[in-house]
Amino acid sequence: MPALDLDTSVSILSGVGSRRAEILVAHQIVYIRDLLYYFPRRHLDRTTVTPIRKLVRDESHSIIGQVETFGEKSTRRGKIFQVIISDGTGLLILTWFNGIRYVKHLFKIGDRLAVHGKIEWYNGFSIIHPEFDKLEENDDLLSTGSVIPLYPLTHELRSAGIEQRVFRKMMREVLKSVQPARDIFTDAFLKDYNLVSLSEALQQIHFAENIERLKTAIQRLKFDEHFFLQLLMALRKTSLKQTATRSLPDIGPYFRTIADSLPFDLTKAQKKVLKEIHEDMKKNVAMNRLLQGDVGSGKTIVAILSSVLAVGNNVQVAIMAPTEILANQHYQSFVKELNKAKIPCTLLVGNMKKSKRQSILDGLKNGKIPVVIGTHALIQEYVEFKELGLVIVDEQHRFGVLQRGKLLDKGLNPHFMAMTATPIPRTLAITYMGDMDLSIIDEMPANRIPVVTKVVKPARLPKVYAFIKDEIKAGRQCMVVFPLVEESEKTDLAAAVENHRELNEKIFYDLDVGLVHGRMKGKEKNAVMAKFELNEISILVSTTVVEVGVDIPNATVILVEHADRFGLTQLHQLRGRVGRGSDKGYCILVHRHESDKSRLRLATMETTNDGFQIADEDLKLRGPGDFFGLRQSGFIQYKIANMITDGSLIRQARKAAFTMVETDPDLCHDQHAGIRERFQLDYRDKLDMVKIT
Ligand code: ADP
Ligand code: MG
């Protein structure tokens, strides 16, 4: 076999015919390079395999054992398929409820299996739907001390005969004959950051001599991924600095009018972030700032005053919110303040009368309307501005990067500020928002009394309802929230509707109970919200549409049904809906499906009001993809890096990338050629995507 190039097609490998090549390509394995970067999902060696005797319930373990027996069984829930394996220290039951037709042909008595999964106890140690691989005779890790790689193989790969054994053979062939990739980093750099060479890392990640070398290999490959993402951030940040924008230096005639009329003093934190924002807007480099502040910390007034500063410099401001209810609420808050200085302000949402929309569009185009608040409607092509100078996006992680870009595109590189009440853990912030400057409101308005949080079992509900009645008698209001993960989940919706009926007709028959949910038309929703705001409705039953931002200071109780189904960050957001006025707030979490984990999670809510602490817990429990819905938003997918556990590595990679861009902003130095090439190959589109921002 001739020496392989990284850019050679995988079809050159022995055993890879046209059918296998096709299937590999379908798995994004096109070139030798892709194969090398197809990392094992797990490694097995003496230290990572647990003897069955030592298994612990509720923990995940890898086990190696021999098939003793297998077969189908009928149960109350239907047919199941089970395999029993033994490793000489005990028996382990593997169970499948689904896909039986497929799995039942896969096993023979005496097969050696590596299995992995969470250990449960049903008449013995068992794993439901385990990950499993058949091992070969010579995968005798227990005696040789070698490390066996297990690759993520899909059903399609396996049906084409690409089993672990075949995959490893291909990989061995590649590693034997591939030209060692020239390292993208210099020796000095590797030494500085304590990294092994790329060829060593690629060799060891697949066929590690021992666990230590595997660890350093993983470390190096993770570093590369973090490094390129940070490089992207560093380049974005410098490209922003290079594009000129209009500076907005004046305080203008309106700021004091409004700031001096507020019924409260701004907190120190609010003043500090306003100053940071104003300093940014003075520059002729566009601001790119993330304003973070826990629920109730008072971000809205900061947004209003920032807008007023911009308007004072004769430019327009657009504020985008993720839902119509939120946009509407912001609009109310803005109008209230802007009226004091007679600054026109308007709301632009999806369903509006044509004539009304047209007059708004005209006003934005000719500049007569300086401030517009809206939903996605703002990014439609036909929305034009005379001179858009500041863009504010609320809860921006709910929008894709592209949407934010579209709004910015409507101005000549306007100043940009994102706001979020989701306290973003540090590592996540520098990973995903590493190109933004951070302003944090780390102080609550002084008059706030912390919300009391209680986790209750359903049996306690009658007492809770009695308490709610008392609160309402005292003139306050209450929200009841139901989980609705997808707006299309019919059973969830039905549960909320049913509960509303029960509360309205039976439990609070003498009170007005309203209902809002995601399937309602915007108009209907707004009508109900308006009634709630006016206290014409005492209790509002809703699906999670009230999650962010809704501001009803008179609401003192929030009752969250099925609290165990919410993420902690979401619960914290919901809790922030109460206790916004001067009365004490109560958050009642109804715990319906108890497990050790859910008890622990909900207890966190009882013990802390600190959004950052809660976000960290949440991130640990749910993973970053779910945390932001980033998986859907098409951002960078890590192959091996982990942004939760790689904290110090991320910081090092960031330092390395930012230092590099500082000294060589175009990556044109000779020793950066390899880096530039890789970057252009894998990350260029992401740079372009945001260049406009
Ligand atoms: P969030 O940061 O969650 O968006 P808001 O901006 O909605 O919070 O503010 C919550 C409530 O606190 C609002 O009713 C607002 O008027 C009030 N508020 C804001 N700043 C202060 C302050 N400095 N002192 C007292 N109340 C404030
Ligand atoms: Mg808000």
Side-chain angles (χ1 to χ4, degrees), residues 78 91 198 250 320 354 408 440 529 537-538 573 640:
L91 297 177
L198 188 56
D250 297 338
M320 183 157 79
K354 253 207 169 130
L408 289 170
I440 303 179
M529 289 307 294
I537 288 174
S538 313
Q573 294 280 334
I640 190 167

PDB file of all heavy atoms in Angstrom, residues 78 91 198 250 320 354 408 440 529 537-538 573 640:
ATOM      1  N   GLY A  78     -45.780  -6.317  27.319  1.00  0.00           N
ATOM      2  CA  GLY A  78     -45.506  -6.803  25.965  1.00  0.00           C
ATOM      3  C   GLY A  78     -44.252  -7.644  25.949  1.00  0.00           C
ATOM      4  O   GLY A  78     -43.721  -8.019  26.999  1.00  0.00           O
ATOM      5  N   LEU A  91     -23.880 -12.461  37.541  1.00  0.00           N
ATOM      6  CA  LEU A  91     -24.684 -12.445  36.322  1.00  0.00           C
ATOM      7  C   LEU A  91     -25.273 -11.050  36.118  1.00  0.00           C
ATOM      8  O   LEU A  91     -25.598 -10.356  37.076  1.00  0.00           O
ATOM      9  CB  LEU A  91     -25.832 -13.449  36.424  1.00  0.00           C
ATOM     10  CG  LEU A  91     -25.449 -14.924  36.562  1.00  0.00           C
ATOM     11  CD1 LEU A  91     -26.702 -15.774  36.736  1.00  0.00           C
ATOM     12  CD2 LEU A  91     -24.653 -15.391  35.340  1.00  0.00           C
ATOM     13  N   LEU A 198       0.450  16.063  17.492  1.00  0.00           N
ATOM     14  CA  LEU A 198      -0.796  15.612  16.890  1.00  0.00           C
ATOM     15  C   LEU A 198      -0.715  14.153  16.453  1.00  0.00           C
ATOM     16  O   LEU A 198      -1.657  13.385  16.635  1.00  0.00           O
ATOM     17  CB  LEU A 198      -1.131  16.508  15.685  1.00  0.00           C
ATOM     18  CG  LEU A 198      -2.502  16.311  15.052  1.00  0.00           C
ATOM     19  CD1 LEU A 198      -3.604  16.473  16.081  1.00  0.00           C
ATOM     20  CD2 LEU A 198      -2.702  17.295  13.905  1.00  0.00           C
ATOM     21  N   ASP A 250     -23.145  61.377  22.703  1.00  0.00           N
ATOM     22  CA  ASP A 250     -23.894  62.342  23.524  1.00  0.00           C
ATOM     23  C   ASP A 250     -24.803  61.683  24.551  1.00  0.00           C
ATOM     24  O   ASP A 250     -25.316  60.599  24.336  1.00  0.00           O
ATOM     25  CB  ASP A 250     -24.752  63.230  22.621  1.00  0.00           C
ATOM     26  CG  ASP A 250     -23.896  64.060  21.691  1.00  0.00           C
ATOM     27  OD1 ASP A 250     -22.701  64.250  22.026  1.00  0.00           O
ATOM     28  OD2 ASP A 250     -24.408  64.477  20.643  1.00  0.00           O
ATOM     29  N   MET A 320     -35.648  43.346  20.142  1.00  0.00           N
ATOM     30  CA  MET A 320     -36.306  42.107  19.710  1.00  0.00           C
ATOM     31  C   MET A 320     -36.465  41.155  20.879  1.00  0.00           C
ATOM     32  O   MET A 320     -35.525  40.901  21.622  1.00  0.00           O
ATOM     33  CB  MET A 320     -35.510  41.452  18.583  1.00  0.00           C
ATOM     34  CG  MET A 320     -36.157  40.199  18.032  1.00  0.00           C
ATOM     35  SD  MET A 320     -35.625  39.783  16.348  1.00  0.00           S
ATOM     36  CE  MET A 320     -34.054  39.025  16.659  1.00  0.00           C
ATOM     37  N   LYS A 354     -52.974  45.303   8.188  1.00  0.00           N
ATOM     38  CA  LYS A 354     -52.077  45.727   7.119  1.00  0.00           C
ATOM     39  C   LYS A 354     -51.791  47.221   7.153  1.00  0.00           C
ATOM     40  O   LYS A 354     -50.645  47.665   7.042  1.00  0.00           O
ATOM     41  CB  LYS A 354     -52.683  45.367   5.755  1.00  0.00           C
ATOM     42  CG  LYS A 354     -51.969  44.192   5.104  1.00  0.00           C
ATOM     43  CD  LYS A 354     -52.109  44.270   3.597  1.00  0.00           C
ATOM     44  CE  LYS A 354     -51.189  43.266   2.940  1.00  0.00           C
ATOM     45  NZ  LYS A 354     -51.873  42.447   1.941  1.00  0.00           N
ATOM     46  N   LEU A 408     -29.136  42.985  12.648  1.00  0.00           N
ATOM     47  CA  LEU A 408     -28.002  43.907  12.604  1.00  0.00           C
ATOM     48  C   LEU A 408     -27.761  44.411  11.189  1.00  0.00           C
ATOM     49  O   LEU A 408     -27.332  45.539  10.977  1.00  0.00           O
ATOM     50  CB  LEU A 408     -26.742  43.209  13.110  1.00  0.00           C
ATOM     51  CG  LEU A 408     -26.740  42.952  14.606  1.00  0.00           C
ATOM     52  CD1 LEU A 408     -25.596  42.050  14.996  1.00  0.00           C
ATOM     53  CD2 LEU A 408     -26.637  44.263  15.360  1.00  0.00           C
ATOM     54  N   ILE A 440     -22.486  42.535  33.907  1.00  0.00           N
ATOM     55  CA  ILE A 440     -23.306  41.744  34.821  1.00  0.00           C
ATOM     56  C   ILE A 440     -23.964  42.624  35.876  1.00  0.00           C
ATOM     57  O   ILE A 440     -23.294  43.420  36.535  1.00  0.00           O
ATOM     58  CB  ILE A 440     -22.459  40.663  35.525  1.00  0.00           C
ATOM     59  CG1 ILE A 440     -21.793  39.776  34.464  1.00  0.00           C
ATOM     60  CG2 ILE A 440     -23.312  39.810  36.446  1.00  0.00           C
ATOM     61  CD1 ILE A 440     -20.918  38.682  35.031  1.00  0.00           C
ATOM     62  N   MET A 529     -53.754  37.929  29.078  1.00  0.00           N
ATOM     63  CA  MET A 529     -52.662  38.559  29.831  1.00  0.00           C
ATOM     64  C   MET A 529     -53.066  39.948  30.315  1.00  0.00           C
ATOM     65  O   MET A 529     -52.753  40.351  31.433  1.00  0.00           O
ATOM     66  CB  MET A 529     -51.399  38.680  28.965  1.00  0.00           C
ATOM     67  CG  MET A 529     -50.692  37.382  28.661  1.00  0.00           C
ATOM     68  SD  MET A 529     -50.294  36.373  30.086  1.00  0.00           S
ATOM     69  CE  MET A 529     -49.097  37.408  30.902  1.00  0.00           C
ATOM     70  N   ILE A 537     -58.385  38.877  36.533  1.00  0.00           N
ATOM     71  CA  ILE A 537     -58.231  37.438  36.698  1.00  0.00           C
ATOM     72  C   ILE A 537     -57.310  37.240  37.893  1.00  0.00           C
ATOM     73  O   ILE A 537     -56.285  37.906  38.000  1.00  0.00           O
ATOM     74  CB  ILE A 537     -57.577  36.820  35.439  1.00  0.00           C
ATOM     75  CG1 ILE A 537     -58.560  36.820  34.276  1.00  0.00           C
ATOM     76  CG2 ILE A 537     -57.080  35.415  35.720  1.00  0.00           C
ATOM     77  CD1 ILE A 537     -57.932  36.363  32.975  1.00  0.00           C
ATOM     78  N   SER A 538     -57.715  36.364  38.823  1.00  0.00           N
ATOM     79  CA  SER A 538     -56.888  36.188  40.024  1.00  0.00           C
ATOM     80  C   SER A 538     -55.835  35.123  39.833  1.00  0.00           C
ATOM     81  O   SER A 538     -54.762  35.181  40.404  1.00  0.00           O
ATOM     82  CB  SER A 538     -57.744  35.771  41.214  1.00  0.00           C
ATOM     83  OG  SER A 538     -58.876  36.574  41.308  1.00  0.00           O
ATOM     84  N   GLN A 573     -36.266  30.758  36.537  1.00  0.00           N
ATOM     85  CA  GLN A 573     -36.924  31.807  35.751  1.00  0.00           C
ATOM     86  C   GLN A 573     -38.377  31.969  36.188  1.00  0.00           C
ATOM     87  O   GLN A 573     -38.868  33.070  36.373  1.00  0.00           O
ATOM     88  CB  GLN A 573     -36.942  31.422  34.273  1.00  0.00           C
ATOM     89  CG  GLN A 573     -35.598  31.350  33.636  1.00  0.00           C
ATOM     90  CD  GLN A 573     -35.108  32.710  33.270  1.00  0.00           C
ATOM     91  OE1 GLN A 573     -35.911  33.616  33.040  1.00  0.00           O
ATOM     92  NE2 GLN A 573     -33.818  32.888  33.253  1.00  0.00           N
ATOM     93  N   ILE A 640     -14.887  15.734  20.811  1.00  0.00           N
ATOM     94  CA  ILE A 640     -14.279  15.129  21.987  1.00  0.00           C
ATOM     95  C   ILE A 640     -14.239  16.084  23.173  1.00  0.00           C
ATOM     96  O   ILE A 640     -14.249  15.669  24.316  1.00  0.00           O
ATOM     97  CB  ILE A 640     -12.861  14.599  21.626  1.00  0.00           C
ATOM     98  CG1 ILE A 640     -12.293  13.734  22.754  1.00  0.00           C
ATOM     99  CG2 ILE A 640     -11.920  15.742  21.274  1.00  0.00           C
ATOM    100  CD1 ILE A 640     -11.074  12.958  22.334  1.00  0.00           C
TER     101      ILE A 640
END
